[in-house]
Amino acid sequence: MFEYAPAPESRDVVDLRSAYGLFIDGEFVEGSGTPFKTVNPATEETLAEVATATSDDVDRAVRAARKAFGVWSALPGAERAKYLFRIARIIQERARELAVLESLDNGKPIRESRDVDVPLVAAHFFYYAGWADKLRHAGFGTTPLGVAGQVIPWNFPLLMLAWKIAPALACGNTVVLKPAETTPLTALLFADICRQAGLPPGVVNIVTGAGETGAAVVAHPDVNKVAFTGSTEVGRTIARAVAGTGKKLTLELGGKAANIVFDDAALDQAVEGIVNGIFFNQGHVCCAGSRLLVQESVQEELLAALKRRLGTLRLGDPLDKNTDIGAINSAEQLARIRRLSDLGESEGAERWSPACELPGKGFWFPPTLFTGVAQSHSIAREEIFGPVLSVLTFRTPAEAVEKANNTPYGLSAGVWTEKGSRILWLAERLRAGVVWANTFNKFDPASPFGGYKESGYGREGGRAGLEAYLAV
Ligand code: NAD
């Protein structure tokens, strides 16, 4: 046996300020609302005070974006591309700083922010930079919409920003973006990157604050397009606010994905996919494989292997390079995960977690498995958005499809089988925007992503992602 040696990433690379303002018209300015604190969820330490944008501040930001729209949309696509390429390269140069700050503010393991989030963020800017001078080949016209109001969640703060800002700018729009209130810091570092890239003032504006600030962005009469990623509940409120205004709208909402394992699948490989599907980013993933559907004949073997594997996961300091599972993003989210897990037990499912010591401070939840889950149980129906997996069984492919589709959501699904024909058969029948086969949680900027039913509408990524930002 070897001794465990922690390998924490240094936080010296981040120049954390004690207070942050709003980013409007190329400058950091004070907000008119009461500032709020953003904390490190792994330690509960306050990281910084952040400005709250009132509706007057949002109005200033929208006016700056409107003024900049004239300049930005008039640039030839190839010129806009140069700025986007420059932003992508600076993101690569400052990758370590961005990754450490993301892990501090969000609680996600540095291994993920460093190897997944930040590389994908740069990839998104590179990808859409490539489209900026080729829009006429995309098939959606070349006319930008104007000012885009964008509201994003806390689970992938910088990646969701990239998904929103890169296509908007490539198409010639300007933006006012509101990050989530528990994770505003990397968006503000991105604002600094925009300045470093020499982006014309007002093309990107960042307004921080809670739900009211988001609502002010959505309701502003001079916003032409609203892009929202977040919960289905808030998505509904936004759809109502936008109805009849003529604003274009895309909604990327919640999910409850099925990860379906057939008896002919490579089980060890499937175990890795299941772990990646639900424990990546503490399960704070809209497309997380939170319902495991396993063919009855291999249930015992698969669960034994899965439990062995879960026993090896390391939970703790997000900045430790060995960490697999970091902190839950906020006390509110932890309370929600606890409530739904307790409900799972009281409704009759059996709960299991590996032996796992939780740190004394901060917000933590152990990797958790529920067996004996029925389709009617709350843990099988509601989005938990945490490291909690519900296990259900099936006997035939038709039963697997029926159970997988038995959800109000439709964002993603996973299929594990050796048979190519079965993969295609399922992909045709699963009501999910993305179906992964013998893998899970694979993302690429060239591949469109989005949902059916209560998971929202519109696609982000790929050529399809341009449509949301052009007057088709
Ligand atoms: P949330 O809906 O509570 O908040 C999302 C954002 O909306 C935050 O910035 C928040 O301040 C803002 N907001 C809150 N009320 C608002 C209002 N009335 N008007 C305008 N903005 C408002 O969601 P969350 O808890 O931050 O994120 C988790 C949810 O996001 C999960 O349901 C998850 O599935 C979903 N999500 C979906 C995708 C996707 O691509 N489909 C990706 C990531 C997360």
Side-chain angles (χ1 to χ4, degrees), residues 152 154-155 178 181 214-215 228-231 252-254 286 383 385:
I152 56 171
W154 46 261
N155 58 337
K178 192 200 86 67
E181 51 272 41
F228 172 75
T229 296
S231 61
E252 299 280 359
L253 310 175
C286 49
E383 187 182 41
F385 224 56

Side-chain angles (χ1 to χ4, degrees), residues 16-351:
L16 207 53
R17 297 209 299 269
S18 57
Y20 289 84
L22 312 171
F23 185 66
I24 296 178
D25 210 10
E27 300 290 336
F28 284 99
V29 297
E30 283 185 15
S32 314
T34 311
F36 62 97
K37 290 181 167 59
T38 184
V39 303
N40 177 346
T43 59
E44 297 175 58
E45 158 207 5
T46 296
L47 292 169
E49 277 217 340
V50 181
T52 290
T54 59
S55 48
D56 285 347
D57 298 323
V58 169
D59 183 53
R60 255 197 301 166
V62 173
R63 276 190 281 121
R66 174 62 57 196
K67 191 171 70 171
F69 177 65
V71 179
W72 184 247
S73 60
L75 286 181
E79 287 304 309
R80 289 201 302 271
K82 284 184 195 167
Y83 287 101
L84 291 175
F85 278 124
R86 202 176 298 156
I87 288 171
R89 283 195 304 269
I90 298 172
I91 287 167
Q92 289 183 320
E93 282 163 20
R94 298 179 71 173
R96 206 159 143 235
E97 191 182 347
L98 287 164
V100 171
L101 188 59
E102 195 76 312
S103 283
L104 281 174
D105 206 16
N106 172 280
K108 63 174 72 202
I110 187 73
R111 203 162 55 80
E112 293 177 5
S113 48
R114 181 195 64 194
D115 297 347
V116 183
D117 296 55
V118 175
L120 274 173
V121 168
H124 257 84
F125 278 96
F126 277 118
Y127 177 79
Y128 280 108
W131 270 115
D133 63 348
K134 302 173 195 70
L135 292 177
R136 67 197 170 85
H137 302 293
F140 307 120
T142 57
T143 311
L145 297 168
V147 176
Q150 307 177 319
V151 179
I152 56 171
W154 46 261
N155 58 337
F156 292 95
L158 195 60
L159 185 58
M160 291 300 106
L161 172 149
W163 282 25
K164 296 273 177 284
I165 291 186
L169 261 47
C171 293
N173 305 277
T174 54
V175 309
V176 176
L177 177 133
K178 192 200 86 67
E181 51 272 41
T182 58
T183 54
L185 296 182
T186 46
L188 296 166
L189 183 52
F190 178 80
D192 188 48
I193 289 175
C194 290
R195 285 219 296 205
Q196 194 184 342
L199 194 71
V203 173
V204 168
N205 304 275
I206 310 280
V207 288
T208 44
E212 297 90 83
T213 306
V217 172
V218 169
H220 196 288
D222 204 27
V223 161
N224 305 98
K225 192 232 145 62
V226 172
F228 172 75
T229 296
S231 61
T232 297
E233 191 190 342
V234 174
R236 275 200 198 98
T237 309
I238 290 178
R240 276 195 291 271
V242 166
T245 62
K247 292 175 190 174
K248 202 164 170 173
L249 175 66
T250 39
L251 295 173
E252 299 280 359
L253 310 175
K256 191 75 189 171
N259 211 351
I260 308 168
V261 182
F262 284 90
D263 59 4
D264 65 338
L267 290 190
D268 285 342
Q269 197 182 322
V271 164
E272 290 309 308
I274 295 162
V275 169
N276 175 29
I278 184 64
F279 300 113
F280 172 61
N281 201 30
Q282 295 74 248
H284 300 330
V285 183
C286 49
C287 51
S290 52
R291 289 181 298 150
L292 172 62
L293 296 184
V294 53
Q295 198 155 18
E296 213 173 84
S297 48
V298 287
Q299 182 192 193
E300 225 169 279
E301 190 185 343
L302 183 79
L303 285 185
L306 183 59
K307 285 181 174 175
R308 267 198 309 276
R309 180 67 177 92
L310 294 189
T312 68
L313 292 180
R314 191 171 284 283
L315 176 148
D317 179 9
L319 286 188
D320 186 340
K321 297 183 203 91
N322 299 298
T323 294
D324 299 306
I325 300 195
I328 300 302
N329 180 248
S330 64
E332 293 74 43
Q333 187 58 25
L334 180 59
R336 181 182 160 77
I337 298 170
R338 283 188 178 145
R339 180 181 66 77
L340 275 163
S341 300
D342 292 348
L343 201 56
E345 248 177 326
S346 62
E347 286 179 355
E350 198 177 312
R351 179 180 186 153

